[in-house]
Structures are given as C-alpha cells and as structure tokens.
Amino acid sequence: AVPGKHHQRIDRLRDQEHQRRCTLSGFTMIAALIVLLGLAVVVDYYLELSFAARIVVIGCAVTIVAAIALTLKRWMAFETVDAVCQAEREWPELGQRLRTSHDYQNDPDGVSPADPALLDALEAETQEQVLERPVKPLGKSWPIAALAGFCLIVAATWLLTMLFAPQWRVATGRVLLLPLHYSDVRLEPLPGHVELGDDLLVRLQVDGRPIGSAEMRYREVGDESWKQKPLTPESGNSLVGPLTAVLSDCQKDLEIEIHAQPLDGGIQRVAVRLPLMVEQWKATIRPPNYTGLPPIDGEAEDARIPEGSKVTLAAHYNRTPLNVEAEFTPESTEATTPELVDSVAKLSIEAGD
C-alpha cells in the first residue's frame, strides 16, 4: 500500500515529543543539581566541612545527577511506535487504525498478510481522519516552563545572596572546592627588631567568623623548648576582631609561631637589639721616623702620642651601628672619614702641637 501523509504527521509529532522530553530532561538535571548544591552549601555553611568531606558531598551530588540522567535517557527514547500509541490515546475515535497502518508500513514481516486493496483503503481512511484533526503536541509544555522558572528564580536568588552575604559567597566557593575560609586571619607584620628590655606586641586581625583558638608559640633563639601564650580579644570573649599578646622585657632574639587556623604564618624571627656601646677603644700610633720609636698598639685612653705621629683610632662596638660620625677639638684637626667594617669603625689623624 502507498503510505499516506498521516505518517509524516506522526513523524513530526514524534520529533516534537522527543525534543520536549530532551528539554524537560535537561531542566530536570539542572534543577536537581541546583537543589543538591544548595543543600551542600547549607550543610557546609553550618558545619564547615573539611576538604575531604566536601569532595565526598560533591561526589554524592554528581552520582545522584548521573542516576537521574540514566533514568531520563530511557524515558527520552521516544520512537514512532510510541508516538502512534500516544496519538491513539489522544484520538480514541480512530480505534486501531493508526497502529495497524503503522505496523503494515514499518513492520510488514511482523503482521499477518492482508489484501492490498484493504490496506490501500485503510491508508486512505486513516489519512483522511488524521489530517482533518489539528496537530497538537503529544505532551504538555507547562513542566518545561515550571522547571525553567524554578531554575531562573533560584539562580537569581543565589546570585543576590552572594552579592549581599559574603558568608554565602564563601560557602558557595567552598562547595566548588575553592580554597576559601569563613574566617580571614591576618598577622600584622612583626618588627625586624626591638630594643633590649622593650615589650613586643603581637597583633592578629580576625574578620568574618570567630576562630576556635589563637595561640602564640615563642622561644629565645638557642632554646629547644617552646612556650605558649594565648592571643586574646581586645573586647568581648569571641576570637574575632583584633587579638593581641605581649611579650614583656625582651632580652634575647626571639622565634615566634602563630597557631590560628586558617593562618599558616610559619616561624618568624625578631631580633633584640642591644644598646650601642663601645667595647674597645684602640689606637695604633706611628711616630715620626726621626724619633726612632716603634709603632705602638694599645688602648686609646692611655696612649701617649709623640708630636707628628700618625694615629689610627679603632672603635669596637657591641653591634654594627648604622653610621659613624666623629667630632674633634680643635675643629681644625685633619682626619679621614670614619670607615665602618662590621662592628669596627676606624679613622686616621695626624697629631699636631
């Protein structure tokens, strides 16, 4: 039998329904993913999951979405025979004509032989009855609109919440496995040195959520054992805002380590600078040749300097000074510019009258 035009209409209905099911399945998986991620964000927001726990949560969400996708894949397999069956349910007045016409055209080996004239008559009658009916989609379109609206509303709400609630923004990033924390902990830079006997102030700034503990470990350079000192808030009891600790009367160089998760500052060293002192005051005297006297090395305070001698003065300090300047009486004394090498400053003068 010559196939009627109603087969083409059934094919169009099949294609429309297949597209509808694919679209609906896509929005269903997106909605499921949004719901699962939202639940994960809420759980992490209140429980502050570890990195491993967040990986497990993400794995569970992906597994559930994959299971939904596999289920929907079978549902999306919409063939022509399915379109025929659904069309017969929509048009019960056609009886079995549509299915019979389809089977004889697409699966002639699976049906009983029939008179060609009867088949031609069946095709013509089925074509007439199908073509006189308006073409309507076999499935409802409102579920697509509902799921699309749900996804749009949730996405907009999520973005607005992230914009105005930093903690929700952090929770979203953490669920996406970004290295974010609900508490922002910063250690104010420690000074490179303090003067002998001064106090050392250690200040920690905590923004966001209060942290569980904040402790400073310290020791003098050369010691093996560490001492502990808590960092306490300047006001209230929660460990948030500025936290401080004071090391009093510093006598030796210090090593300091802060333990306040998520801060990882490592060990820092603060030098204790001694008051600048002259430990030795040396003089090297080279008398004039005509005196026949040998060079003399000794303490500058006790030195006797023959007239016309060249004198090199050396000041040995207990630490390296930043700079050295010299003043002489009388001011007309000729001298070289002080030369600083490590903790020793040297200059040369010529002894006059």
Side-chain angles (χ1 to χ4, degrees):
V2 178
K5 294 181 180 180
H6 61 283
H7 293 288
Q8 298 176 1
R9 176 165 290 191
I10 293 298
D11 289 341
R12 287 198 299 270
L13 291 174
R14 176 202 62 198
D15 295 340
Q16 290 176 356
E17 177 63 13
H18 183 264
Q19 184 177 7
R20 186 190 76 89
R21 293 193 177 196
C22 289
T23 304
L24 187 59
S25 298
F27 278 116
T28 299
M29 288 187 288
I30 293 174
L33 185 60
I34 290 176
V35 171
L36 292 172
L37 287 179
L39 291 175
V41 168
V42 171
V43 171
D44 184 77
Y45 183 84
Y46 287 103
L47 300 182
E48 198 165 348
L49 303 175
S50 65
F51 185 78
R54 281 179 279 151
I55 291 179
V56 172
V57 169
I58 292 296
C60 292
V62 171
T63 301
I64 293 174
V65 172
I68 294 174
L70 290 176
T71 302
L72 292 175
K73 184 179 179 181
R74 292 191 294 269
W75 180 69
M76 287 188 296
F78 192 77
E79 303 296 338
T80 305
V81 65
D82 301 314
V84 169
C85 295
Q86 193 161 336
E88 285 186 340
R89 288 194 294 269
E90 294 292 329
W91 303 325
E93 63 274 12
L94 294 179
Q96 297 292 320
R97 293 184 183 86
L98 201 55
R99 178 60 183 270
T100 304
S101 172
H102 170 270
D103 289 346
Y104 274 99
Q105 286 294 329
N106 295 277
D107 187 22
D109 295 333
V111 294
S112 301
D115 184 11
L118 292 177
L119 294 179
D120 290 338
L122 174 65
E123 286 292 311
E125 182 181 3
T126 305
Q127 172 180 293
E128 180 182 356
Q129 295 191 16
V130 170
L131 294 181
E132 70 184 10
R133 285 169 171 76
V135 178
K136 295 181 179 179
L138 297 176
K140 305 296 183 181
S141 60
W142 67 263
I144 296 177
L147 283 175
F150 170 80
C151 294
L152 183 62
I153 292 173
V154 172
T157 304
W158 200 314
L159 290 175
L160 289 174
T161 307
M162 288 176 60
L163 182 62
F164 295 104
Q167 294 287 298
W168 184 260
R169 186 162 59 244
V170 171
T172 301
R174 284 170 55 84
V175 169
L176 297 177
L177 303 181
L178 297 178
L180 301 178
H181 303 279
Y182 293 109
S183 303
D184 182 20
V185 184
R186 302 186 305 277
L187 175 65
E188 292 190 3
L190 297 176
H193 64 270
V194 294
E195 302 296 334
L196 180 68
D198 284 355
D199 296 340
L200 174 62
L201 174 64
V202 178
R203 182 185 294 270
L204 202 66
Q205 181 64 37
V206 179
D207 297 321
R209 291 185 181 180
I211 57 178
S213 63
E215 183 182 74
M216 175 178 63
R217 298 174 70 238
Y218 67 97
R219 66 184 178 185
E220 293 182 343
V221 174
D223 291 349
E224 294 185 359
S225 60
W226 291 87
K227 299 177 182 179
Q228 288 83 30
K229 193 176 185 70
L231 287 104
T232 56
E234 295 183 353
S235 61
N237 298 319
S238 297
L239 296 181
V240 66
L243 311 180
T244 58
V246 178
L247 294 178
S248 304
D249 190 22
C250 299
Q251 296 294 319
K252 294 183 179 180
D253 293 352
L254 297 169
E255 290 182 335
I256 297 174
E257 185 178 26
I258 303 299
H259 286 191
Q261 292 297 330
L263 177 69
D264 183 14
I267 298 176
Q268 302 190 48
R269 184 166 179 166
V270 177
V272 175
R273 192 166 64 177
L274 301 175
L276 188 62
M277 298 174 59
V278 177
E279 294 182 333
Q280 291 180 321
W281 183 233
K282 298 289 187 178
T284 300
I285 304 169
R286 292 180 174 81
N289 292 333
Y290 68 85
T291 63
L293 297 174
I296 303 170
D297 291 324
E299 297 293 333
E301 292 88 347
D302 302 329
R304 291 188 175 185
I305 306 173
E307 182 182 349
S309 298
K310 291 183 178 180
V311 182
T312 300
L313 299 174
H316 295 255
Y317 295 95
N318 61 335
R319 60 179 175 83
T320 303
L322 295 177
N323 56 71
V324 175
E325 295 181 355
E327 295 181 358
F328 296 94
T329 303
E331 295 181 358
S332 60
T333 303
E334 294 184 1
T336 60
T337 301
E339 180 183 356
L340 183 61
V341 179
D342 294 332
S343 60
V344 179
K346 293 183 179 182
L347 60 83
S348 297
I349 62 174
E350 184 170 343
D353 294 338

